[in-house]
Every structure is written in C-alpha cells, then in structure tokens.
Amino acid sequence: MIRGLTTAASGMLADERLQQMLANNLANLETPGFKASDGALLAFPKQLLMRLHYGDEAGPVIGKAGTGVVFQEGVPRFSEGSVTATGRALDVAILDTTPVGTYAAVQATGAAAVAAGQAGAGAGQAGAGAGQAGAGAGQAGTGATGAVAQGGLTVASVLGPIAVGPGGRLTAGGLPLAVLDAAGQAIPGIYAVRNPAYQGSGLLAADGKPDYDAAGQPSYLFADANGRIVGRPGDAAWQGAALRIGSDVDMGDHSFFAVAYSSSEVPAGVALTRDGHLSLNSQNELVDAAGHPILPVGPNGLPLPQARIVINPAYQGHDLFAPNGDPVYDQHGQPSYRVVGPGGQVVPGARLGLVDADVTRLVPLGETEFMVGGTLNPQQVVAALRPGTGQLAPGKLEQSNVDPAATMTRMLAVIAQYQANQEVIRAEDETLAKAVQDVGHVNA
C-alpha cells in the first residue's frame, strides 16, 4: 500500500516536471530560433516481491512491482523552424547543412574522432538491414563530430551506420560506440559488443537500447577492453548504462552564432545562439536577444572572443550583411560594419560568421542561448567548435520549431496522467483510513 502511494507520488512529480517543459515550449512559440525540448518518463527498476514468511527460509516469489517513474531531462530538438522573409536588415536566419541520417556517440582519441566524423558513412547507404540501426535510405555526405574530452575519454557524435567491428564491438564511422552512464558521461574502458547468443537481426533499437530475440537474449552486452563480458543491459549493476543513438535532429554538428556571454557570476564567457533577430546596443555593437555581443569569426572560421561587430553609422545602404557574412559597401565606399578588437583597432579578415557545435554537448541557458560542454570558458568553448558549415540568410528569420497542436495534445495527456495518480492516492488514503477506523472495531 505504501509502495502504491510512493509510485503515484513519483508519477505526479514526474508529470509536473514534464508539464513545465511543455509549457516552456509553448511559451516560446513565437521566439525566433527557439528549439523545443523533448522529454520522457522513465520507470525505476522493478523490485522483486515475496510472500511474507515467518520461518528462516524466504517466502515464495509472487512477482515484481514498479517503484515509480522519473522525468528524463528535456533534450532540445534541433529540427529547423520555418524561415520567413522579414526584410529587416538586422535579421539573419541560419540554414543548417547537417547531413541527414543515423548518428551515434562514439569514443576515441581526439584526432581519430575528428577524422572518423569527417569521413562519415560514405555515400549511398540504403536501408537498415542486419547490423544496422535506424532508417537511412540514401544516406550520403560527410559525418559530423564535435569531439569533447570526458575524463580522458573523447566522445563525438558521428554519422552511422552501426556495424560490428573487431572483437564484436559495435561501431559507427569505424569507432566503438560510447557506453554512457545515467548522467550521460562515457564509462571508460567499457564497450558494447554483439551478444553471440542473440538470434535476431537488428543490432539495437532506435533509441540505443538492445533489441531482443524470441528467447529474450539482448542484441549486445557490455565488455571490458580485453573483451571479457562484464554486464548485460538491464542488470542492477548497469542501470542507466546505455548507448546514444539519434538522428540529425538531436545529434551531429549544427550551426550557431557565437556570443560573448557575461553575467554576475561569469564576467567573460562564450555561448551559442540560433536566434537571428539581432539588434544593436548603445555602442552600436551587434547583439543577440539577451543583449550579448555577437562574436565575429576570424580567417580560421573560429570565434574571436575579444572582438566585436560594430555597425558603421556613416553607412547609407539598407543591407548590412552579404550572404557570406562580409560587410556590404554603399555608393560612397562605406562598409556596413567593422570588426574591432579590444583596443578599437580593425581586425583584418574577420566577419559575421557561423560556428558548428555537436548538439549533444549543449545545455540551454535561457533566452535561446546554449552552453557548450558544461563550460563558458572561452578557451575551452572555442576548442570544442569548428568552422561553420551552415548558410546565412540575411533579411530572413528562422521561427520557433514548436508544434503548438502536438504540444497542447501532449499537455492534455499529462494532465490526465496526473489526475489518474491523484485518484490512486485518494483511493489508498481511503483504504488506510478505513483500516485505522474500522478494522478491530467492536460494537458495544
């Protein structure tokens, strides 16, 4: 009975957090460049129930019972919102060129990870036959990777397909898949290997969990660096351990504007944004919706944390940015903007540009900004970025990717779940009250 109350209470808490995420999505329906988050309710491990027995021996097993659910933190979906022409000179939309296909988190040394990500899966991969995961008809192009070191282990997001490599290890782009813990961090020295007893065809399910054959055998097991099996998915000691498989919507490199982030806690940092509804501050510097300066990129395509894009007040044209981000010149030869350093000097070769980041490493900061790799430190952030592959669309604006109808439908479903859990608690409460008041009561 107490277990039922606990399960219902955890369900209500999870529903509340899920509803908050959906409400935030809906509130940003008209925020340019906003990326809606998606979340899920995950069940806690089930516990074995046994019949009460007063002897020395344990009573017979009567089954398993759930212990509640938890809300899995919302993950932003980087599908592109609709792009509309505004004619506003300060509006600049970002058009992604992320290759479409199946992606996976892999582990490798930094150089190897970048090389594998750029090599990708090759051209013309079709279907999802044995040894492949997800759909991928006609996948072509290059892979994408944003390698980030995690405790000495480098994790990168690479374009698939999933295959069986040396030692039975599951690989993507020639690199072993990373086994992640419940916090999303890679577990060093642990690999996913094909289960030799598995009789099915698929290597894993679309969400990275194992596929199971008719005998209940999982498609993969966990092994150490020597190939010794150390665990199975679902084992108590391996709760939360999983592979990360996705698509270009929630993995891979996407393009962003880099911004000079600052706050009372962080005097100087670097963050990213997709919101192209830009404006000017009192110094005529180009800033994002949060008022943070847009960082220019240098000749190497990476952001310059100390430089600023300053709009030229003497410029008399309308368009401010060329399609490649360069300044536009008016009939008098005046540039639309200049890139200046901390001393006010013009920075040669710098321009408005994009940077690419692996979206699996991004954390929302609010106001459409994202933190990279859990840090705002300029040196660390710049090291995790690559020159942008996306395209600029001046005079246009990317809208929010929130689907209002789908969001409202899901919010109504969450309310129904919440009310159902309320009814469970009410019923349990009435039963407990009856037990206290009536059981053992003797009429006079």
Side-chain angles (χ1 to χ4, degrees):
M1 188 171 294
I2 299 300
R3 188 187 305 277
L5 288 170
T6 304
T7 302
S10 68
M12 291 176 67
L13 180 60
D15 287 336
E16 183 178 349
R17 297 185 64 191
L18 178 56
Q19 192 77 314
Q20 289 173 347
M21 183 202 73
L22 294 171
N24 182 66
N25 287 346
L26 199 60
N28 285 280
L29 179 62
E30 297 184 1
T31 301
F34 178 79
K35 299 304 177 187
S37 293
D38 193 14
L41 300 181
L42 301 181
F44 285 122
K46 292 184 177 181
Q47 291 187 352
L48 198 63
L49 295 182
M50 304 182 73
R51 185 172 299 161
L52 190 61
H53 188 75
Y54 289 100
D56 294 333
E57 299 179 359
V61 174
I62 59 176
K64 293 183 178 181
T67 56
V69 295
V70 63
F71 172 66
Q72 185 182 37
E73 294 297 336
V75 176
R77 308 287 288 180
F78 287 89
S79 57
E80 204 160 88
S82 61
V83 176
T84 58
T86 65
R88 182 174 176 268
L90 287 170
D91 284 346
V92 185
I94 298 176
L95 306 179
D96 264 331
T97 56
T98 307
V100 177
T102 298
Y103 284 75
V106 300
Q107 54 173 296
T109 60
V114 172
Q118 292 174 341
Q125 297 165 353
Q132 297 181 355
Q139 295 174 355
T142 60
T145 179
V148 178
Q150 297 183 352
L153 183 64
T154 300
V155 176
S157 180
V158 172
L159 183 62
I162 311 303
V164 179
R169 292 176 182 173
L170 303 189
T171 64
L175 295 173
L177 300 188
V179 179
L180 309 177
D181 61 21
Q185 301 297 309
I187 304 175
I190 299 299
Y191 301 86
V193 297
R194 193 182 194 284
N195 181 3
Y198 172 68
Q199 300 297 316
S201 57
L203 286 180
L204 40 82
D207 59 358
K209 294 180 181 178
D211 194 9
Y212 288 86
D213 62 16
Q217 287 285 347
S219 56
Y220 64 81
L221 305 171
F222 299 125
D224 61 18
N226 297 319
R228 182 175 63 90
I229 303 302
V230 294
R232 295 165 62 95
D235 286 353
W238 293 90
Q239 287 292 338
L243 307 179
R244 179 159 187 175
I245 309 297
S247 70
D248 49 288
V249 171
D250 56 2
M251 298 187 74
D253 278 13
H254 293 252
S255 295
F256 299 83
F257 293 115
V259 300
Y261 184 89
S262 62
S263 66
S264 57
E265 295 82 16
V266 183
V270 174
L272 304 178
T273 185
R274 288 279 302 192
D275 188 348
H277 189 63
L278 310 179
S279 57
L280 304 178
N281 63 14
S282 59
Q283 288 79 43
N284 247 27
E285 296 173 346
L286 195 65
V287 297
D288 68 356
H292 296 141
I294 298 294
L295 294 178
V297 299
N300 64 354
L302 295 178
L304 304 173
Q306 301 300 319
R308 300 291 183 265
I309 298 173
V310 180
I311 301 300
N312 181 8
Y315 174 72
Q316 297 181 8
H318 175 268
D319 295 334
L320 295 176
F321 312 107
N324 65 351
D326 284 343
V328 179
Y329 290 82
D330 65 15
Q331 58 183 350
H332 304 294
Q334 289 284 348
S336 57
Y337 72 83
R338 295 183 175 91
V339 174
V340 299
Q345 75 281 11
V346 175
V347 181
R351 59 180 174 83
L352 173 69
L354 302 174
V355 293
D356 280 1
D358 186 340
V359 297
T360 62
R361 304 300 303 153
L362 302 188
V363 178
L365 286 169
E367 297 192 84
T368 72
E369 293 178 334
F370 296 90
M371 184 182 350
V372 183
T375 182
L376 293 164
N377 180 278
Q379 290 75 27
Q380 292 177 270
V381 173
V382 171
L385 303 176
R386 292 201 299 157
T389 58
Q391 300 175 356
L392 295 172
K396 297 182 179 180
L397 201 59
E398 180 191 5
Q399 304 301 319
S400 166
N401 67 354
V402 175
D403 184 334
T407 303
M408 286 296 297
T409 300
R410 194 172 181 190
M411 291 179 75
L412 292 173
V414 173
I415 291 174
Q417 290 175 187
Y418 191 90
Q419 292 173 336
N421 282 315
Q422 278 184 316
E423 290 301 319
V424 170
I425 292 178
R426 183 178 293 110
E428 294 280 6
D429 186 57
E430 291 175 354
T431 302
L432 286 172
K434 192 172 185 64
V436 171
Q437 296 173 10
D438 296 344
V439 174
H441 177 75
V442 178
N443 292 326

